[in-house]
Amino acid sequence: METVLVIGAARSGIAVSKLLLKNGYHVVLTDSNTIKEKTELESMGIEVFDGGHPDSLKEKKYAFIVKNPGIPYRVPFVHYFVEQNAKIYTEIEVAYRYAKNFNYAAVTGTDGKTTVTTLLYEMLNRQKKSLVAGNIGTPLCELALEYTDEDYNVALELSNFQLLGIETFRPHVSTVTNLAPDHLDYMDSLEAYYESKMRIYENTNADDYFIRNVDDENVVKYAQNIPCHVIDFSLKRKDVDLYKDDKYAYYKNTQLFTLSDLKIVGEFNCGNAMMASCMAYLMGVSLFNIQEVIREFSGVEHRIEYVDTIDNVRFYNDSKATNTHAACAGLSAFEKNVILLCGGKDKHISFDDLKQYDGVVKKCISFGQTKDKFKDIFTSQMSVETMKDAFEKAVLLAKPGDIVLLCPACSSFDQFKNYEIRGEIFKQMVHEYAAKRNEE
C-alpha cells in the first residue's frame, strides 16, 4: 500500500485525506495546529500528527504529497520536500483524478472570480443539477468523495495557489478574469504569480475553450501557447468574439442577455456577467436559463454588497476587495461622495492606482497594519486603529447623499480571520447603527 502525506488539516486537507483513504492509500495527515477531528480520523485508519510536523515524517517514502494551498512552499517543512523533488499536489488535482465524470468550467484571475463562478453556477444549476467548488468555499474533494461516480457540471473557482499544485487537471471551459499585483507576500515574484494563473488551460485540447480578456494587457502578455479554442473578450471593442453594444451582450452573433437586466453595479460586473454567460453557453446552458439568472442575480456577498440606507446615507460592504485592483473596481461603481473605509494586512503591493479615485472619495478612513499607507493616496485621509474606529468616524462625518463603503484594498489577516468575518462584522455594525437611529 502506497503512502501519501497530507500537509494541512483544514477542511480541504480532511476531505482529501478521506478521498485518498477511500482509494486505497495509507494517509498521513499533519498540521502545526491542533486537529479537532483527530480521534475520528484515526479511527478511520488515517495516521494523524498535530501540534507540529515531526522530523520523522521526512524519513518516510511517499507516492506524492498533498499541500494545503495556503501554506507557502518556502515553509521549512514543505521546502524540504521541494528540495527532494517530491510531487506536491493540491486537493484539486486529487479530486480531478477520482471524480471522472465531472465536467469543469474553471475561473481564475485576480478579481471577479467569485462573482463569475457564482453566476456561472446559478446558470449551470438552472439547466440541470450542478456543483460549485474550489476557492469559493467547498473543497472539490468533498464533492468528489460524495459524488465519485456521478455526472455533474462543476463551476470551479481556482486561486493561483491551487493551480500551482495541478498536473493533469483539465477544464472544458476556462478563463482568467484579469491580472493585477497580488499575493506578493506568498509568491517569489509578480511574474511567477501571473504565470501560475495560466496553468488553468495547460492541459486543455482542441475540444475545450479559453476566454481571453484582451482589455487586460497582462492577460494578453501571459496567455500564450493556448492549446484550445480561444474566445477573445472585451468591454471596449466589438471586433472580438465576446462583446457588447449599448443594449446587449453578444457571443459572436448570439445575443446572450440584455444589459439593462443586470442588477449588479459597475462596468466590471457587466464583464463578469458576460464571461459567466459565455462559459455557461459553451457548457450547454440555454439562452432562456442564462437570461433568467441574469435578471435574478443580485450579487455576491461581500462584493459591493448593499447593506442599508440610514438617514439617506447608503452603506456597502466590499470586504472581498483584498487588493488594489479589486478596490479600484469597487470605487469605479460610484461617482462621488464616498467615505472609504480601507486598510488591513500589508501584502506589499502599491496603492497608487487608487489615486485616480481621489475625486470620488470624500474622506478616506484607513485602519489596520496599512493605515498610514493611504496618506499619500487621498487628499482627505485619516488613520485609526480598527475598523470599528473607522466606522464610528464615518457615521459622524456622513451627510445625506453620501456612501459609506468598506473597500479595504488589503487582506484581513491583521485583525480578522478572513474577509468574510470582516464583512459580517461591518454589516453588524451597520445594523446596530440602524437600530440605534430608529430608537432616537
Side-chain angles (χ1 to χ4, degrees), residues 34 74 126 148 152 168 177 214 261 307 328 386 398 406 437:
T34 300
R74 61 175 173 267
R126 180 67 64 99
T148 301
Y152 279 107
T168 62
T177 56
V214 298
D261 285 341
V307 183
C328 285
T386 68
L406 172 67
R437 294 295 293 152

Side-chain angles (χ1 to χ4, degrees), residues 34-220:
T34 300
I35 302 174
K36 65 178 185 294
E37 301 91 347
K38 182 175 183 177
T39 303
E40 175 207 342
L41 295 168
E42 287 179 333
S43 71
M44 297 171 66
I46 296 171
E47 199 175 346
V48 180
F49 297 88
D50 61 357
H53 309 301
D55 284 341
S56 61
L57 294 180
K58 296 176 182 177
E59 297 162 13
K60 294 176 182 277
K61 289 256 194 287
Y62 303 107
F64 55 87
I65 291 161
V66 183
K67 179 186 74 67
N68 181 293
I71 303 172
Y73 288 89
R74 61 175 173 267
V75 168
F77 183 70
V78 177
H79 191 66
Y80 169 83
F81 295 104
V82 173
E83 290 185 321
Q84 301 300 310
N85 293 316
K87 288 184 177 180
I88 302 176
Y89 302 133
T90 51
E91 61 105 13
I92 299 297
E93 177 68 22
V94 177
Y96 178 77
R97 294 182 180 194
Y98 292 113
K100 296 290 189 186
N101 298 322
F102 286 5
N103 189 28
Y104 296 94
V107 181
T108 193
T110 304
D111 309 308
K113 297 187 295 296
T114 300
T115 299
V116 175
T117 305
T118 305
L119 254 174
L120 173 60
Y121 165 68
E122 295 291 343
M123 292 168 181
L124 294 173
N125 200 50
R126 180 67 64 99
Q127 186 80 15
K128 69 169 191 174
K129 174 73 172 144
S130 299
L131 304 173
V132 60
N135 197 53
I136 200 166
T138 303
L140 187 58
C141 275
E142 277 189 14
L143 302 179
L145 191 62
E146 186 173 355
Y147 306 111
T148 301
D149 300 317
E150 297 183 47
D151 178 6
Y152 279 107
N153 284 330
V154 182
L156 187 64
E157 179 183 325
L158 294 172
S159 68
N160 73 301
F161 307 149
Q162 290 168 318
L163 286 166
L164 286 168
I166 66 165
E167 185 175 77
T168 62
F169 171 75
R170 173 192 158 203
H172 178 52
V173 187
S174 61
T175 192
V176 177
T177 56
N178 52 44
L179 289 175
D182 200 2
H183 299 304
L184 299 186
D185 53 342
Y186 183 107
M187 300 297 294
D188 291 334
S189 68
L190 186 58
E191 184 176 48
Y193 168 64
Y194 289 163
E195 287 173 349
S196 68
K197 292 288 191 182
M198 300 307 150
R199 299 199 68 190
I200 198 166
Y201 57 70
E202 67 179 20
N203 297 313
T204 59
N205 61 34
D207 295 327
D208 304 317
Y209 300 88
F210 176 73
I211 297 175
R212 177 172 60 185
N213 181 358
V214 298
D215 291 341
D216 189 306
E217 61 183 28
N218 288 321
V219 170
V220 173

Side-chain angles (χ1 to χ4, degrees), residues 124-321:
L124 294 173
N125 200 50
R126 180 67 64 99
Q127 186 80 15
K128 69 169 191 174
K129 174 73 172 144
S130 299
L131 304 173
V132 60
N135 197 53
I136 200 166
T138 303
L140 187 58
C141 275
E142 277 189 14
L143 302 179
L145 191 62
E146 186 173 355
Y147 306 111
T148 301
D149 300 317
E150 297 183 47
D151 178 6
Y152 279 107
N153 284 330
V154 182
L156 187 64
E157 179 183 325
L158 294 172
S159 68
N160 73 301
F161 307 149
Q162 290 168 318
L163 286 166
L164 286 168
I166 66 165
E167 185 175 77
T168 62
F169 171 75
R170 173 192 158 203
H172 178 52
V173 187
S174 61
T175 192
V176 177
T177 56
N178 52 44
L179 289 175
D182 200 2
H183 299 304
L184 299 186
D185 53 342
Y186 183 107
M187 300 297 294
D188 291 334
S189 68
L190 186 58
E191 184 176 48
Y193 168 64
Y194 289 163
E195 287 173 349
S196 68
K197 292 288 191 182
M198 300 307 150
R199 299 199 68 190
I200 198 166
Y201 57 70
E202 67 179 20
N203 297 313
T204 59
N205 61 34
D207 295 327
D208 304 317
Y209 300 88
F210 176 73
I211 297 175
R212 177 172 60 185
N213 181 358
V214 298
D215 291 341
D216 189 306
E217 61 183 28
N218 288 321
V219 170
V220 173
K221 178 181 176 181
Y222 284 90
Q224 301 291 329
N225 303 314
I226 303 166
C228 60
H229 290 288
V230 176
I231 296 167
D232 281 338
F233 154 72
S234 176
L235 284 168
K236 303 170 184 175
R237 293 164 46 182
K238 293 183 176 61
D239 59 338
V240 292
D241 306 295
L242 181 56
Y243 62 98
K244 69 178 181 68
D245 59 19
D246 292 339
K247 291 185 177 179
Y248 304 106
Y250 298 89
Y251 168 53
K252 297 186 176 177
N253 295 321
T254 300
Q255 194 181 104
L256 291 173
F257 63 86
T258 304
L259 302 186
S260 61
D261 285 341
L262 267 178
K263 289 186 172 67
I264 48 180
V265 296
E267 180 83 344
F268 64 95
N269 266 329
C270 180
N272 291 336
M274 289 169 67
M275 283 186 270
S277 299
C278 186
M279 293 178 81
Y281 184 69
L282 294 168
M283 292 286 284
V285 179
S286 70
L287 290 171
F288 176 82
N289 284 332
I290 288 169
Q291 290 160 11
E292 284 285 290
V293 171
I294 288 290
R295 279 191 283 270
E296 293 171 6
F297 187 72
S298 59
V300 173
E301 190 177 18
H302 310 300
R303 194 70 185 98
I304 322 183
E305 176 191 7
Y306 170 74
V307 183
D308 203 351
T309 298
I310 306 166
D311 299 333
N312 204 25
V313 175
R314 286 179 289 155
F315 291 79
Y316 286 86
N317 164 34
D318 197 19
S319 184
K320 202 173 189 305

